[in-house]
Amino acid sequence: MRTRLAACGAIALVLPALARAGEAAPVEPTVTVGEIVVQLPRGEAQDDPTASATVVEAGRYAGEAKTVAELVGTAPGVVVRQYGGLGQLATVSIRGSTSDQVTVLLDGLPLNGPAGGGVDLSSIPPEWIDRIEVVRGAEGAHYGAGALGGVVNIVTRRPQAGAWSAQAAGGSFSTGEASADGAVGGERWAAMGALSLDSTEGDFGFLYDPQPTLPGNALVPMVRGHNAAQLGGALARARGSVAGGVADALVELSGGRRELPGTLYDMTPRDFEDDRRAGAIARFARPGVAPGLTLSGELGARYDGVVTRLQSLGGDPLDQSGASGTAALKAAWLAGPSALEATLSTGLEGLAGGGMGRHDRPSFAGALSDELALWGGRLRLAPAARVESVGAFSGASGKLGAGLALWGPLRARASAGRTFRAPSFAELYLEQGLVQPNPALQPETGWSGDAALVADGALGLASVGVFSTLYRDLIVYETASFQREKPFNDGKALARGVEAELATAPLFGGLTAGAAYTFLDTATLRGDGTVLGKALPHRPRHVAFLRLAYDRGVAGVHAEAQYVGAQWQDAENLRPVPAALLVSAGASLRIARNPDLHLHVEVKNLLDDRTLQDGFGNPLPGRMVLVTVRAGSTYDGT
Amino acid sequence: MNVKTKLALALPFFAALLLAACQQEKTCPSGEALCAGACAAVKTDARNCGGCGIACGAGETCTAGACACLAGYTSCGASGTCANLQTDPKNCGQCGHPCSGTDVCSGGQCAPNCGAGETNCGGTCANLQGDVANCGACGRVCGSNEACKAGLCVADLYVACFNTNEVREATATLDAAGTPLATNAGPDSLAWNASDLYVANDLAATLTVLHFDGRAADRVNLLSPSSGADVPFARSHGGLVFVANAADGTLVVVSPTGGVVDEVPLAAQPGQYVDPTGFDFAGDKAYVALHGSTDPAVGQEVVVVDVSGEATCTPPNPSAPACGTGNTCAAGTTCVNGLCQRPPCGTIVTRVGVQSTADTAGLAQPNHVLVVNGKAYVTISNLKADYSAAGDGKLAIVDTGSNALTGSVDLGAKCQSASSLALSGTTLFVTCSYTGSVVPVDLSAATPAGGTAIDTTASGVNSPSAITFCNGKGYVGDYSSKVLRFDPAAGVELAKDVCPKNTTTGYAYSADIACGP
C-alpha cells in the first residue's frame, strides 16, 4: 500500500522513470491474449484515486480512426458535442456541465484558454494519446478552479527508446490522415517525436428538411459543403534522470484550418477558422530529499491563436491570441499511512483580440491533499483543499473522497466536492456583433457528490453509481438591450443521475466488451415560470455506449453502438432534438510481423442514417469507410 | 453532548442546508411580487392588491395597488361595499334599497324578471356582453381598467414585453390594466385573429393564443430545429395566422383549428439565412421582407408569395403514394420530393431586390412592410456589417401590380435604422431606432419624402421600434420599458413604463403594440 500511495503522491510522468531506476512504481495490470498484451481496464485517475473516473485506454482502439472526442464519449457521465463532426468543433460536457466547466489537460497542461468556450477536442491529434482519464465531479481541489463538471486528462504516449510507429488512413469524404513517431534513448533517458496530419473535404450527403415546422413533409437530399478541415501537429517528449532526480518535458505544436459550414438554415460558405497552438511543460522531481519526501517543480506555457473570418461580422479576419504560463512547486511526503502533498503555484494568462482589447490576470493557488490508508489499507480517505485567486476573483475548492474495500474485487467509493470557475475573458470583455460583455460577473460554483460500487479484478471493471451536482451563479447569456446577448450570473441548476460502466478483460480467448450508460436528470432551479423545473437544454437524459470486440492479434473485429437520447434545444423544453443511434463496426488484419504491419477497416454510421444531427441541428455524416495501414516496431495493442 | 448526539443534530442541519440550496428560485419581473409561488402584479391584481394575499372585495378592482369600485359601481354604506345600483338587488337604484323576495334589479328598478338582453346572475341582472362584473358569464369580473366588450374582458392596448415573457394590458393613456398575460420566451409580435390575440414568441418559436373569454391560453409549437429560435413577426390574413420563422427562413401558416398547415421556404437556395422579419398582404399576395444578414447577396429583398391556396391547405401526407415514372402523379396531386402530394399551397411569385436602395457601404436589411394603395412600403435599415448606420434610413417602394421596385424615400438624417411603420390617414410614420425619432412620410405628395422628425428621446424613448395607431393616436414601443403616445398632428403626448424589467438583466423591451378590439 505504501508503494501505491507513493504513486498517487508523486507526478505521473515521473514515476515510470523511477520504476526503471529501481524505485517504487505502480504496476500497470496487463493480460496476454494470443500474441498481444492488453491493458486491463482501470477506473482510477492518477491525481485523485478516490474520484469517480474512467480511464479510456487509446490502445484498445488503435487503428480505428477514432477522434479524441469519440474516445472521450465512451466514458459514462459524458456528453460530447460534435457540431457536425469531421474536423469541426467538438467539446465535452460532464454531468450536465457546460464545456467551460470541464478542465481539459494534456499531460497535466491545462488546455482551457483564457477566452473560455471550452476546449476543442478536435484540435488534439489522437495518434499521440496513451490514455484519457475522465474524472467526474467538482474537482477543483485536485485540478484547479474551473472543473465544476469534471476533468478530461489526456495522457500522451511515453517515450520508449527504439520504438516507432507510422500510420496512414484514407476513406470517405476525401478524408485522409498520416502520422509517424519514433523514440531514441539510452539507459537514463528517452525522447520521442511525433508528427500527424489530418485532412477531410467533409462533403457528405444528408437529408435536408426545407419545411422544418411542417409535419409530414418530405426531406431533400443535399451535400454538406464548405466543410473541409485540415489539422497538423507535432509532439516532442523527453524524460531522463538528472541530478538525482527525474526530468520530463513535453512540447506540443498544432495548427489547422477549417471551413465553417454554419447551421442547416444559416449556411456560411465564406466563413473560415485558422488556429495555431503551442504548449510546453517541464517537470523535475527529486525523491529522497528527506525520508519519504519528494520535491518537484513544474513550468508550463500555452499559446492559442485563432483567426476567424465570419461574414456575419463583416468578413475581416478576427485575430484572437491567448497565452498563459504557470509555475508550481510540490512537496510529496510519505509518513505512515499518509501521503501528503502540498502545492504552491502561480500563473499569468493574457488575451488580445478583436472585440475584446488586451487583458491579462495573474493567478495564485495553494493546495493541500492527503491520501490516508486506514484499516490495513481497506479504507482510503482522500481529503483535499485548495485556495485560489484568478485575477480579481478568489475562492476555495474542497474535496473529500473515500474508498472502502468490501469483498474480493468489490469496493465502495464516494466523494463530495466544491469548486468555482472564474468568468472567462470573453464573458467579461467580449463585445462583438450582438454579443455584449459584463465586467460585473462573479464566479460560478459547483457542489457535487457521488457514490458507487466498483468491481475491479482480473475479469475487468464494472461500476454503478449515483451522482448529484448543484451549479450556482451560472453564467448565462440573456437577451439584453437592442436584442444583444449579455452574460449574467443568472443560472442555478441541478444535475443528478446514474452512471454505469463495464469493461472486461479479454475473455474466451480474446473477446472484450465495453459499455457505458448515463441517466442524467437536470433541472433549472432559477428563473421564471416558463423554465423553472425544466430540463437543461442540450443535456440528453440517456446516453449509452456499447462495444464488442474480438481480437487475437492476427485478426480482430469489433462493433459499437452509441445512443444519445432525446434532448431539448431550449430552456422551456419546447423544441425537442430527437434521439440518435450511431452504429459502427470494423476489422483488423495483421499483414506482417516484423515490422508489425496491420490493416484496419472502420465503418462509421454503418446504417447510413442521413438524418442524424448533433444537438445543435448540424447534420452528421452518413456511412463513412476508413482504411488504415499501421506499422510499428512495438505494435502490440497497448 | 457526545459525538452521536452532535452528529444527530448536525445531520439534519446539513440536510436542511442541502435541500435549501437545491430549492427552486422563481424570479418575477420588476413590480411583481412572488405570492404563493406565483408572480403577481400587485398594482392591478385583485387577489394580491398592493401586496400578497390582499384580495379586493366583490364589485372591486385593483388600481395602482389599491382596491376601488369597478367602473359604474358606487361605494355604499359605512363598509364601503361597491354596488352597481342599476343591477344589485341589495342596492337597487340607491344604496341600501333592497328588492323584496325574489325580485331582481334591472335598470335600477326592482322587477320580477330581468329585462331583454339581461341574464339573471343570482338576482343581479347583467348584460353579459358589457358588464365588467359579469362579462361573458355570471361572476366573471374583468380586471383593472379592462372593459367588457362583446362578452370579452379587454383593454385599450396590448404590449408584448420581450424580456419578461408576458403581454401587458394598458389603457389609452398607458396606465396598467388587467393582469400580465404569460407567454413563452421573447414575445415579439402581436396579431389579432377574430377575438384571439396571437403572440409570436421569438426565443421559444411558439405562438401563444390568448383568449379573452375566460379560457386558458393555447400554444402552437413551431418546432424550429435551429438552435437559435427566431420568430419575430405574425399577422392574420383570411382567417389564418402567418408567422415569420426567421431562424429557418420560412413563412409558416397556422390555422386556428388545425395548427401548422403550411410552411413556405423563402430562401433562393436552401440553407441561406434570409431572416424574414415582417410582411403585409395585398390581396392574396404576401410581401415578405427578407432582412438577410451581412451578405449583400443573401436576403436584402422582398419576396412575393401567392397565398391564395392557403385557405384550403392541409399538411402534406407523409404516406402519400410515390411519384410515377417521370414524376407523374394522379390528378390533383403533384410530385414533391418523390411523393404525390397536394400542390404547394403557397408559392413564390417573384423576388424584388432592394439592396440598391441602401448606401454604397450599407446593407438594405429590409425590416417591415406595409401595403397602401397598391404599393408595398418597406423600411430599409441601411446598416453596415458592424451594425452601425451606413446612412439615412430609407423606404423602398414596391408596386404590387408589377411587383417591381419603383422607388425609394430617403427618410433624412434624423432617421437611422428605419424599423417599423404604420399609417395614419395618408401619412406613414416610420420609427428610427438609432436616432430616437419617428419620421412622417406624406403619401399624398407627388413625391413622398421624409418629413420633420418627431423626437422621442426627450420622453426617454431612445430606440423606438414597433408602432401602431389606435383610435387616432400613435403608440411607439421602445428597447426599454417605455411606450410613447403621440398625436399625428400635435406630436408626443406622453410616455410611460409599461413593460417591467427583467430583474436579472435589468432590461425591458416593449416589442410590439396591438390595439384592443
Side-chain angles (χ1 to χ4, degrees), chain A residues 147-322:
Chain A
L148 275 68
V151 175
V152 173
N153 185 22
I154 299 166
V155 181
T156 62
R157 290 158 56 193
R158 212 169 52 192
Q160 288 182 298
W164 65 273
S165 70
Q167 175 175 306
S172 307
F173 318 129
S174 305
T175 301
E177 57 191 55
S179 64
D181 61 79
V184 296
E187 202 169 294
R188 299 175 61 84
W189 67 280
M192 70 171 285
L195 291 170
S196 73
L197 293 169
D198 297 81
S199 175
T200 182
E201 282 299 312
D203 48 354
F204 61 83
F206 68 100
L207 292 172
Y208 174 81
D209 189 348
Q211 298 162 299
T213 294
L214 188 64
N217 67 303
L219 305 180
V220 181
M222 275 185 69
V223 172
R224 182 69 157 166
H226 192 65
N227 196 36
Q230 290 88 36
L231 170 70
L235 176 81
R237 190 172 164 187
R239 60 177 175 81
S241 301
V242 184
V246 178
D248 191 296
L250 174 143
V251 176
E252 172 249 338
L253 301 170
S254 67
R257 177 182 178 83
R258 64 164 68 117
E259 297 170 344
L260 303 175
T263 61
L264 276 183
Y265 302 96
D266 186 7
M267 296 184 186
T268 51
R270 295 190 290 159
D271 287 1
F272 297 88
E273 178 183 288
D274 298 284
D275 70 279
R276 52 200 185 277
R277 306 174 195 275
I281 190 165
R283 298 183 177 92
F284 176 75
R286 176 84 184 267
V289 176
L293 181 65
T294 298
L295 295 179
S296 60
E298 175 183 309
L299 291 172
R302 178 93 197 140
Y303 168 80
D304 295 87
V306 180
V307 179
T308 50
R309 292 172 178 81
L310 306 176
Q311 289 303 312
S312 61
L313 296 176
D316 294 328
L318 300 169
D319 199 340
Q320 189 179 82
S321 298

Side-chain angles (χ1 to χ4, degrees), chain A residues 310-551:
Chain A
L310 306 176
Q311 289 303 312
S312 61
L313 296 176
D316 294 328
L318 300 169
D319 199 340
Q320 189 179 82
S321 298
S324 61
T326 57
L329 288 173
K330 297 184 182 181
W333 184 39
L334 293 175
S338 166
L340 193 65
E341 182 175 289
T343 305
L344 286 174
S345 63
T346 183
L348 181 67
E349 60 181 5
L351 186 72
M356 210 176 323
R358 188 181 187 91
H359 301 277
D360 55 64
R361 62 186 179 192
S363 61
F364 303 94
L368 197 63
S369 65
D370 198 1
E371 189 187 350
L372 292 161
L374 306 173
W375 295 350
R378 288 190 64 192
L379 174 65
R380 288 194 296 177
L381 290 177
R386 184 184 181 98
V387 290
E388 196 161 3
S389 71
V390 182
F393 309 102
S394 60
S397 302
K399 179 90 191 284
L400 176 62
L404 177 65
L406 296 175
W407 174 74
L410 190 65
R411 59 190 164 91
R413 189 198 50 67
S415 68
R418 186 261 190 212
T419 191
F420 70 99
R421 181 182 77 86
S424 68
F425 282 150
E427 291 162 338
L428 291 167
Y429 307 119
L430 179 64
E431 186 163 12
Q432 198 168 68
L434 298 177
V435 174
Q436 290 188 324
N438 186 354
L441 287 173
Q442 294 299 308
E444 303 175 323
T445 57
W447 298 75
S448 74
D450 54 41
L453 282 174
V454 183
D456 188 354
L459 293 177
L461 171 75
S463 75
V464 60
V466 294
F467 67 90
S468 180
T469 302
L470 177 66
Y471 300 98
R472 303 189 69 167
D473 300 320
L474 289 173
I475 296 172
V476 180
Y477 275 84
E478 307 260 13
T479 302
S481 172
F482 242 173
Q483 298 196 15
R484 267 43 171 184
E485 298 289 315
K486 184 174 176 178
F488 295 91
N489 285 104
D490 187 29
K492 178 182 170 187
L494 179 68
R496 59 193 172 184
V498 177
E499 293 159 344
E501 69 174 313
L502 170 75
T504 72
L507 306 171
F508 312 115
L511 178 68
T512 57
Y517 168 73
T518 308
F519 168 73
L520 178 63
D521 177 36
T522 61
T524 298
L525 296 183
R526 187 172 194 279
D528 64 22
T530 62
V531 299
L532 212 56
K534 303 285 178 63
L536 298 177
H538 304 298
R539 269 73 166 186
R541 202 167 171 81
H542 303 276
V543 177
F545 170 76
L546 175 66
R547 174 186 169 94
L548 290 172
Y550 187 79
D551 194 345

Side-chain angles (χ1 to χ4, degrees), chain A residues 29-30 43 82 128 144 147 301 357 408 470 472 517 578 597:
Chain A
T30 59
Q82 296 243 35
W128 301 348
L470 177 66
R472 303 189 69 167
Y517 168 73
L597 184 63

